[in-house]
Structure formats: structure tokens, C-alpha cells
Amino acid sequence: MSSKRRQSTCHRKDDTLNDSTGGYTAVEALALVQGLLTDTRAGAAAPADLVAALTVLRQLRAELADWEPELVTAARAQKVSWAVLAPALGVTSRQAAERRYLRLRPSATGERTGEQRVRAQRDKRAGDRAVAAWAHDNAAVLRQLAGQISALRDLPNRAQRHADLVGQALAEDDPASLLSPLADTHTHLKATHAGLAAQVQSITDQATQIRHATHATRSSSPPAAEQQTHNRA
């Protein structure tokens, strides 16, 4: 393709192409940039073509960056482990693979940078572990309450479904699995079983307080990377 023809193509606004790379599909954008490189090496690229190609390249790079977390999300949904994904992402450990993913993926909770997303995910996991430990220590209380609620048979249909979910969670070994279905019964028990509803609310409040306390503790200390930098200084 000649430089003149490519310049015309660079500025094309084809209504049938609506991708983010300036109106080109990714394949077209890549072919355009490769063609401009060929012209550049032959000394035949015009300044306007080079600027247009750089613009398309930037847009293509941004689009490709969006693809990676989308593909990783799909792979994780298919139970592909971080250890398997690590070589494909060009890193050497499952921790590094997950960290890369957290840095690249869009945030649904307001974190603006990749490091903030990594920190938020680790904070959540720390909170989950703290709550799970608390649930294990209070397994007898949780199972007793779950047994009372799952035994109810005078509830409306919707409330009964939630009580049945508590019964299903009661069959699992992990007492932490009771917390979410128990919390979901609160609204349905308030009118007819106020005492049970109050116990559910108390447990939910305790779990929330543990999460907040864990987050506050972690927030008061610098991230590991910052601590390592400080220790080296």
C-alpha cells in the first residue's frame, strides 16, 4: 500500500467499523501500523501518516489492554488456576499473575489505580479470613441459630426459600458459609419471629465490625511494597 493511500485510510471514518481504534478493527489497525513501519524503513512515510499511525497504535494498545483482564476473567470462570495462567501472562508465579490481573482490570468499587485494586482485594481477603476465623470460634452458636431457622415451617413462600437455603448451608462443614444465608433471612423474620431476627442481626453486625476492624488495622500500616522500600532506605 502506498503512503498516499495509507494516509487516506488513516483518516477514514467507515460507518461499519465502530471499535475504539479510531474506526478500525484491531486487525486493520495492526495492519495499518505494520504498513507504516514498512514505509518508514524504506524512507517513504509522510509525517501525517506517522502521526496517524501513532494515534492508532495508542488506541490499539489501550484496546489490547482491555482484552487481557476480560480473557483472564473468562479463564478464571472456567476454573483455570493462577499457576496455569502465569506463564501465559509472562510472569513466574500465581501471585504475580493475580497481581497483574488486579492492576489491569476495571474497578467496580472506585479504586483508581492498579495498586489500589490490589490493596482492596487483599483487604477483602484479610476481612474474609478474620470473619471465617470468628465463625469457626462461634460455630456452635451459628449452627444452633441456623438449625432453629431452617426448622421453621410457618413462613411465607419467599421467606421459606431463604430458610431452606440456611438448611442447605448447615449441611456444609464451614460455619462461615452460614453467614450470608442467615443474613438474608433477617428481613423475612422480623414480622413473625422477632427474636430470631434480632439474633441474625447481631451476628451480621459482629461480622461487619470484624471486617471494618481488619480493614482499619491494615489501613494504618503501609502496603508491603512501601514497607520494603522503607526498610531498604
Side-chain angles (χ1 to χ4, degrees), residues 16-206:
T16 64
L17 298 174
N18 297 312
D19 290 337
S20 62
T21 50
Y24 303 99
T25 66
V27 172
E28 289 176 323
L30 183 58
L32 173 67
V33 173
Q34 289 177 322
L36 257 297
L37 280 173
T38 299
D39 284 354
T40 298
R41 290 161 184 165
D49 288 342
L50 294 171
V51 172
L54 287 169
T55 301
V56 172
L57 182 60
R58 173 179 54 80
Q59 294 167 339
L60 178 60
R61 186 163 52 241
E63 185 170 343
L64 291 175
D66 290 341
W67 290 357
E68 182 176 319
E70 185 176 351
L71 290 171
V72 173
T73 298
R76 290 292 295 158
Q78 295 293 327
K79 309 300 183 185
V80 180
S81 71
W82 289 115
V84 171
L85 287 171
L89 298 178
V91 295
T92 58
S93 69
R94 61 181 181 82
Q95 294 90 346
E98 184 176 13
R99 188 179 183 88
R100 177 179 173 86
Y101 167 68
L102 291 172
R103 282 174 170 171
L104 292 176
R105 72 170 184 174
S107 172
T109 53
E111 296 82 19
R112 299 182 63 183
T113 69
E115 284 301 326
Q116 287 175 339
R117 288 193 287 273
V118 171
R119 176 112 176 148
Q121 185 67 21
R122 291 181 174 176
D123 286 347
K124 179 181 181 302
R125 288 180 180 172
D128 289 344
R129 288 193 297 269
V131 169
W134 171 82
H136 185 270
D137 292 341
N138 294 273
V141 174
L142 292 173
R143 292 190 181 281
Q144 181 180 16
L145 178 59
Q148 291 176 294
I149 293 175
S150 62
L152 297 174
R153 290 293 178 267
D154 59 345
L155 299 172
N157 289 339
R158 187 174 180 183
Q160 191 64 58
R161 286 196 295 273
H162 284 284
D164 291 343
L165 290 175
V166 171
Q168 293 175 22
L170 189 58
E172 299 183 16
D173 294 332
D174 184 5
S177 65
L178 291 167
L179 294 174
S180 180
L182 279 173
D184 290 341
T185 65
H186 178 262
T187 300
H188 304 287
L189 295 176
K190 285 193 300 183
T192 56
H193 298 82
L196 292 176
Q199 292 182 62
V200 167
Q201 187 62 58
S202 176
I203 286 172
T204 301
D205 289 345
Q206 289 181 68

